[in-house]
Amino acid sequence: MARSLAAIVILGQGSLGTARSIQRLYPDALIYGLAERVEGADRSYQEFGATLRQLYQQDTPIIALCAAGIVIRTLAPLLLEKGAEPPVLAVAEDGSAVVPLLGGLGGVNVMAREIAAGLGVAAAITTSGELRFGTCLLNPPSGYALGDLELGKRFVSDLLGGESVRIEGAAPWLAEARLPQDQQARLTIRVGSAEREPAANELLIYPRSVLIACNGNIHGAEALREALHQKRIAVQSLACLLAADSDMAHRGLHEAAAELGVPLRFAPVASSVVELAQRAVAQLLPPLSVGDDIAIAVASQPLDPEQIGRPRGRLAVIGLGPGAAELMVPAVKAELARANDILGYETYVRMAGPFRADQVMHCTDNREEMQRARHAFELAAQGRSVVVVSSGDPGVFAMAAAVLEALHESSDPAWHRVDLQILPGVSASLATAAQAGAPLGHDFCVLSLSDNLKPWDIIEKRLDLASQADLALAFYNPISRSRPWQLGRALEIVRQHRTPQTPVVLGRDIGRPGQTLRVITLGELTPEQVDMRTMVLVGSSTTCVFPRAEGGEWVYTPRWYGNKPV
Ligand code: SAH
């Protein structure tokens, strides 16, 4: 999994300058500022501890501009858990000190040096091996994989104990290191793609220089592991899998890549897997074929999977929730971070941001749903990671259905091969209900009062039947300038079946700046109290209201119906 972008976390306005200097070194990093204390941060947070722990668990590198002790105490409960260990650094508010704390194998010392150089100070490096040899042997550069961490730690402590070492194979990054080298040494750093038994006197480092081209007859990683073993090639040297475009949606191949922890890339269909491999990479040695389904190719250098073929495109239709960042589900946040392209109605695209310079925003008019859906597929079919944003939930009067309709209508196989995901959000009715209490606590009916896409008489019929059935009602799109009379007519229908005392909740801009929540009765409700940014909830015959201590009312609909259970 690609590591998430760094988070620069600050507690006060005074740190923003230092934070910005660090952000210039890592333009993709986001500055997180404490709400009400910091203005002008990229993200704001309410609680320092919870935020830091969440970032850590999501494997986000953390640069905290505060005392090292605070960071240590905050993350301490997580340290015994196995799992992510991203780089964590404490930086003095005024930029005068840089202290790497955690994530030695994630490159924390490299980051500490980069930040320190940027701020014109020295990094507080305390790792013995690194101080002595000028490099962390257990953290080879990208393109290389360490064989075994535990054996590696012992190897480094033997080296620190005074032994000398020899290097077998090409390790260009060690040229600058201050290693006690000796051709006769017992300890060996061995760099190569051949399969080897681990041994205490060897530090095995594998260049990720191997590619496997395979086809749709592959289901899972087992056959690929065996093929590598048969050719005496280390599985740790595998850089990526490659398959033909036509196998893009093949589940077994995706499972194989996931099990092996390598990317799966795609190239135009070829006559054989050998040809597939040869065409994709120029500097390969002739591929070794293992049966008809697998070809293994070894390059003389580590391979960059990003340069090989292209990835499977992804299209995610996401729900932002009502507006507040805390109400956005984490899967949606992660999807926004990985997106190349963001499509949607301008207001929602802005709400989903800020975005990095490399992310492309495509803002469109709210009415061009089908066109937007087709545009999204065109981009995703090119291998891009595309997000279509909706407010609330994408499946509730929003983009998800339009996207599926566009796909259903299309006969383009490239569109059908896109990795399509629908990620839910908190819908306006649920966000409004939660603020009022539990007005939708029993059976309820969700209706859009817009007759733009459906005939008005259907709306009347549904209103009549739902009201008759004593369902609580949630009205989306209750009114607009082009639909001025419909809400009044809808209320007439509801009033035929509900008393004027029936509780009504009006939520406007819920979860957004300036939100309002009002509890009134059906008798009091007039269309003038409602606009297109309002959610209207109408209670059923059992919906109750009672005062709350801080003022206002609680509204709820009990879960029982008829006779209260004892
Ligand atoms: N997909 C969205 C709904 C889109 S329809 C969702 O699941 O919430 C748009 C209507 O939703 C608006 O006319 C309004 O009735 C309601 N709505 C959307 N966001 C709202 C908010 N933050 N507060 C109150 N109502 C909202």
Side-chain angles (χ1 to χ4, degrees):
M1 194 183 83
R3 168 145 277 162
S4 20
L5 311 163
I8 304 168
V9 185
I10 62 176
L11 286 154
Q13 197 68 25
S15 315
L16 192 60
T18 307
R20 290 254 179 264
S21 309
I22 297 172
Q23 197 179 36
R24 276 193 284 279
L25 303 168
Y26 306 109
D28 289 345
L30 293 174
I31 298 177
Y32 288 65
L34 182 58
E36 275 131 46
R37 293 277 185 77
V38 182
E39 278 207 13
D42 301 322
R43 294 271 191 282
S44 77
Y45 64 85
Q46 302 286 343
E47 252 196 281
F48 179 77
T51 305
L52 218 62
R53 284 189 289 270
Q54 192 186 20
L55 289 166
Y56 185 87
Q57 282 167 326
Q58 290 168 350
D59 206 18
T60 306
I62 299 171
I63 303 162
L65 272 66
C66 63
I70 298 179
V71 182
I72 293 169
R73 220 169 298 125
T74 304
L75 294 180
L78 303 182
L79 298 184
L80 288 177
E81 284 173 20
K82 240 184 144 67
E85 190 180 317
V88 178
L89 303 99
V91 175
E93 243 184 42
D94 61 0
S96 61
V98 179
V99 189
L101 293 173
L102 293 166
L105 299 174
V108 75
N109 288 337
V110 176
M111 280 181 79
R113 285 205 182 87
E114 285 168 354
I115 295 171
L119 298 172
V121 296
I125 306 287
T126 55
T127 320
S128 325
E130 186 142 350
L131 288 171
R132 182 90 69 83
F133 310 129
T135 178
C136 176
L137 285 176
L138 303 181
N139 182 27
S142 79
Y144 295 85
L146 179 70
D148 183 284
L149 180 60
E150 290 313 313
L151 285 175
K153 285 182 181 165
R154 212 163 99 200
F155 185 94
V156 171
S157 80
D158 285 350
L159 260 185
L160 285 169
E163 282 204 52
S164 51
V165 65
R166 63 198 162 101
I167 300 175
E168 299 277 336
W173 73 97
L174 292 180
E176 305 284 294
R178 300 180 296 273
L179 289 168
Q181 289 194 46
D182 177 352
Q183 274 322 302
Q184 309 309 317
R186 179 187 75 93
L187 296 179
T188 311
I189 298 173
R190 198 175 287 281
V191 187
S193 57
E195 192 178 68
R196 283 187 80 85
E197 281 299 315
N201 65 331
E202 288 195 328
L203 184 72
L204 298 178
I205 294 177
Y206 299 96
R208 294 189 178 277
S209 56
V210 176
L211 168 148
I212 297 183
C214 47
N215 61 25
N217 294 330
I218 298 301
H219 299 273
E222 206 36 52
L224 304 182
R225 282 187 210 278
E226 256 165 47
L228 286 168
H229 180 60
Q230 194 183 326
K231 299 292 178 193
R232 299 280 173 263
I233 295 171
V235 66
Q236 293 95 329
S237 286
L238 189 61
C240 70
L241 301 185
L242 179 70
D245 286 342
S246 53
D247 288 327
M248 204 172 255
H250 193 286
R251 209 180 281 266
L253 287 175
H254 289 278
E255 281 166 7
E259 274 175 58
L260 293 165
V262 296
L264 173 56
R265 310 284 296 185
F266 298 93
V269 178
S271 63
S272 67
V273 284
V274 170
E275 192 192 334
L276 193 67
Q278 264 167 339
R279 276 214 228 130
V281 192
Q283 82 274 23
L284 286 179
L285 302 176
L288 313 160
S289 62
V290 183
D292 292 337
D293 304 327
I294 298 172
I296 302 174
V298 183
S300 53
Q301 297 281 322
L303 291 166
D304 178 2
E306 301 265 306
Q307 304 297 321
I308 297 168
R310 61 190 178 97
R312 181 185 188 191
R314 180 168 166 111
L315 172 50
V317 191
I318 60 144
L320 297 175
E326 308 91 85
L327 293 183
M328 192 192 286
V329 306
V332 165
K333 289 185 192 173
E335 196 66 40
L336 287 168
R338 73 186 272 180
N340 302 122
D341 299 274
I342 301 95
L343 282 77
Y345 177 48
E346 176 154 7
T347 315
Y348 302 144
V349 171
R350 302 245 169 257
M351 206 192 270
F355 294 105
R356 303 183 305 269
D358 62 292
Q359 296 181 296
V360 188
M361 296 191 272
H362 308 262
C363 299
T364 49
D365 190 279
N366 210 6
R367 285 158 300 188
E368 299 165 3
E369 284 194 353
M370 289 305 287
Q371 221 171 306
R372 186 189 302 154
R374 287 190 280 264
H375 186 198
F377 274 110
E378 272 156 24
L379 291 166
Q382 293 163 24
R384 298 178 68 86
S385 192
V386 181
V387 162
V388 172
V389 293
S390 289
S391 78
D393 182 90
V396 179
F397 310 121
M399 282 303 295
V403 165
L404 286 163
E405 195 177 336
L407 182 61
H408 193 187
E409 281 173 3
S410 164
S411 55
D412 186 342
W415 286 24
H416 287 268
R417 290 196 291 251
V418 161
D419 178 13
L420 176 61
Q421 303 284 335
I422 318 291
L423 302 182
V426 177
S427 193
S429 56
L430 304 182
T432 303
Q435 292 213 357
L440 307 179
H442 192 80
D443 299 345
F444 65 98
C445 173
V446 167
L447 285 161
S448 167
L449 295 191
S450 167
D451 57 351
N452 287 343
L453 299 168
K454 62 184 166 185
W456 179 252
D457 54 348
I458 281 289
I459 300 178
E460 288 207 357
K461 182 173 172 190
R462 289 179 181 176
L463 276 166
D464 186 45
L465 293 173
S467 304
Q468 228 180 90
D470 200 23
L471 295 164
L473 306 170
F475 296 154
Y476 286 77
N477 301 312
I479 199 165
S480 79
R481 231 170 288 144
S482 58
R483 296 181 285 106
W485 56 265
Q486 284 86 336
L487 179 60
R489 174 72 194 121
L491 294 178
E492 278 174 26
I493 297 169
V494 176
R495 285 185 179 121
Q496 289 167 10
H497 306 284
R498 305 266 158 110
T499 68
Q501 290 75 41
T502 305
V504 166
V505 176
L506 300 180
R508 185 171 190 273
D509 280 341
I510 292 299
R512 299 181 191 171
Q515 67 162 28
T516 59
L517 185 80
R518 289 211 287 159
V519 179
I520 56 171
T521 64
L522 187 57
E524 290 162 352
L525 178 59
T526 60
E528 293 71 50
Q529 295 162 299
V530 175
D531 67 5
M532 64 184 291
R533 283 146 65 181
T534 309
M535 183 73 230
V536 181
L537 304 180
V538 180
S540 71
S541 66
T542 58
T543 303
C544 312
V545 176
F546 66 97
R548 45 172 126 184
E550 61 265 54
E553 296 91 8
W554 285 116
V555 185
Y556 74 100
T557 306
R559 298 216 30 217
W560 50 270
Y561 202 83
N563 295 317
K564 185 180 171 80
V566 278

